Amino acid sequence: MEKQQVLNYIELHEEELITFLQEMIQSRPVNPVYAKEHGYNEAVCEKIILQKLEGLGLEIYTFDVDLQELEPYREKPGFITGYTDLIDFRGRPNIVAKLPGTDPEHYKSILLIGHCDVVAADDLEEWEYPPFDGTIADGVLHGRGVVDMLGGLAGMVMAIKALEETGNRPKGDVWFASAVCEESGGTGCLAIADWLKKNEAHIDAGIMGEPTDLEISLLCRNIQWGDITIYGKTGHLEVWQPHWSQGGVVDAIEKARYVMDQIDNLNKEWALRPDKNHPLLKESCQVKVAMIEGGHHRSSFPATCKLSYNIQVLPHETNEDGLGVNTRKEFEEFMHRISQADDWLRENPPKVEWVCEADCSEVPADHPFVVQFIKSTSEIRKETILNGSGFHTDTGWLMRVPGIPVVNYGPGNPALAHRTNEKCKVKDIVTCCKGVANICCDWCNTPK
């Protein structure tokens, strides 16, 4: 095998790689949960990917997500409960493909996988360049999804194309998958994981193309979404009111401020706890309030206030199904404790509801795939670093269902994901493509 031929091919076809990525961005593959009245989804983007894969000698499979097929996972991460009524999976197929190795029985295989859906970009006036144009300026590609994670996905497809068209097909199998519906629960990747298990695809390791700034991320956290509804007692805002025990009002927003203050105190405690921290992560697990909804009239005291929150959970805190049961229990006990310390909340406790839970994963730093990946990527970019992803990625479904150890590796600063003016250096996209191709050459030519 001539690895340099593969890398040279990628350099010579940089324009093709970037044009392919621009087409993916221009297809507006917004997850339907966030598309509102626009009617966007990932279907066109998946067609663009399929067109690029055709003629490369791959075995290609497409299938819609079928919730009935996933019923055994209903109580586990990845099976959407909070969003099921909002999502129609028909006509938005997952893609799974295999580039058969020349001696797959005796050599290791790899999975290259990512998601093709993106979040919305409705704040158009705030963008320096239109979010779905895929504009290039000063060596930087601008557009929704270029970081999260169409850049990584495009690089994987072009890496496979480079292997095949240079005549350097590895001895082991190279698998590829593009999942729908990652940005609202992860059911698309769960369906792929289930498909791989049912079809007895024995894959030795994998790469998820999430943005890591070209570092190798060995873990991601479980994410728990929930709502706290705080109850008050409404009345006229401009009229003097007695104490609630004498029939007066209770300001639900004021009580919500109390709850948020106590959450701040909980986060300070978690920041000092070893079980809430990890050496590969910059921030401890936290409870973060993401949305606040309260009140019903400008002249009335609010009767309710809802806090929508996000809790991060480390892999060692989860059970065998990837669920952070103990974290949920701890948070519910925390809410009970702070409610008992308030006269009103003691008699009118807030309602805690759990909306969705996303799985987590961790691959040991001494795993043979990690050791080889470090060596392979260092040949492309010397400053290879190991880290962790504070956000959720779909690696958990793959590790728990078909049993594939998967790391995260992709172009772009993850802090720019979901952000207005999302952008990524063109050279980083090309470097990622080279890194993926290099590990395919090395790992898939390693004897089992």
Side-chain angles (χ1 to χ4, degrees), residues 12-299:
L12 290 172
H13 291 78
E14 174 183 321
E15 183 177 350
E16 180 185 351
L17 166 60
I18 301 306
T19 299
F20 172 46
L21 175 53
Q22 288 174 307
E23 291 173 352
M24 295 168 69
I25 294 170
Q26 291 162 2
S27 72
R28 300 176 181 249
V30 179
N31 188 292
V33 168
Y34 309 111
K36 298 182 180 178
E37 70 279 1
H38 301 306
Y40 302 143
N41 63 32
E42 315 93 323
V44 175
C45 188
E46 291 288 66
K47 289 180 181 178
I48 293 170
I49 293 171
L50 281 172
Q51 289 172 358
K52 187 64 72 173
L53 294 174
E54 290 173 353
L56 294 179
L58 288 92
E59 300 172 9
I60 300 176
Y61 310 89
T62 62
F63 56 93
D64 289 347
V65 175
D66 185 340
L67 292 179
Q68 290 186 338
E69 286 285 322
L70 301 179
E71 187 63 31
Y73 304 98
R74 175 172 287 276
E75 300 303 324
K76 299 178 182 180
F79 189 100
I80 292 176
T81 52
Y83 287 126
T84 301
D85 294 338
L86 302 177
I87 296 177
D88 184 353
F89 288 103
R90 292 172 298 180
R92 300 160 56 205
N94 278 328
I95 299 171
V96 176
K98 181 176 74 171
L99 181 67
T102 60
D103 189 6
E105 184 179 351
H106 299 104
Y107 287 84
K108 293 182 178 179
S109 57
I110 196 169
L111 170 66
L112 310 178
I113 184 170
H115 64 85
C116 65
D117 62 322
V118 304
V119 297
D122 292 329
D123 51 341
L124 301 181
E125 68 281 356
E126 302 296 328
W127 285 73
E128 184 179 4
Y129 301 96
F132 295 107
D133 280 9
T135 302
I136 298 176
D138 299 322
V140 176
L141 179 53
H142 299 256
R144 172 59 81 219
V146 64
V147 172
D148 187 14
M149 56 164 279
L150 301 180
L153 198 60
M156 290 174 169
V157 173
M158 283 300 296
I160 293 173
K161 191 170 188 286
L163 290 169
E164 180 64 8
E165 296 204 343
T166 59
N168 286 288
R169 185 183 294 204
K171 295 178 180 178
D173 295 332
V174 177
W175 289 80
F176 169 81
S178 176
V180 300
C181 199
E182 189 270 353
E183 295 292 1
S184 58
T187 308
C189 193
L190 175 60
I192 288 176
D194 182 65
W195 187 95
L196 292 172
K197 181 179 180 179
K198 289 177 178 176
N199 286 274
E200 299 181 344
H202 301 294
I203 303 174
D204 296 294
I207 303 171
M208 177 72 66
E210 291 281 7
T212 63
D213 234 355
L214 299 177
E215 298 176 358
I216 302 173
S217 172
L218 302 185
L219 77 131
C220 74
R221 290 192 280 204
N222 166 303
I223 302 297
Q224 298 175 334
W225 288 354
D227 295 324
I228 306 167
T229 303
I230 296 123
Y231 301 98
K233 189 177 180 182
T234 192
H236 203 299
L237 190 70
E238 298 140 20
V239 175
W240 177 86
Q241 299 282 351
H243 188 267
W244 62 266
S245 62
Q246 303 300 316
V249 302
V250 176
D251 185 341
I253 291 178
E254 180 181 347
K255 293 302 179 184
R257 289 167 58 190
Y258 163 77
V259 171
M260 292 178 69
D261 286 344
Q262 297 306 311
I263 288 175
D264 287 344
N265 292 333
L266 179 65
N267 286 332
K268 292 176 184 177
E269 175 194 333
W270 281 15
L272 300 175
R273 281 173 44 177
D275 62 323
K276 297 295 182 180
N277 288 271
H278 194 286
L280 292 179
L281 294 173
K282 297 177 182 178
E283 183 181 42
S284 61
C285 293
Q286 301 277 278
V287 181
K288 296 184 177 180
V289 175
M291 295 187 291
I292 302 174
E293 180 183 347
H296 59 281
H297 192 277
R298 292 180 184 272
S299 292

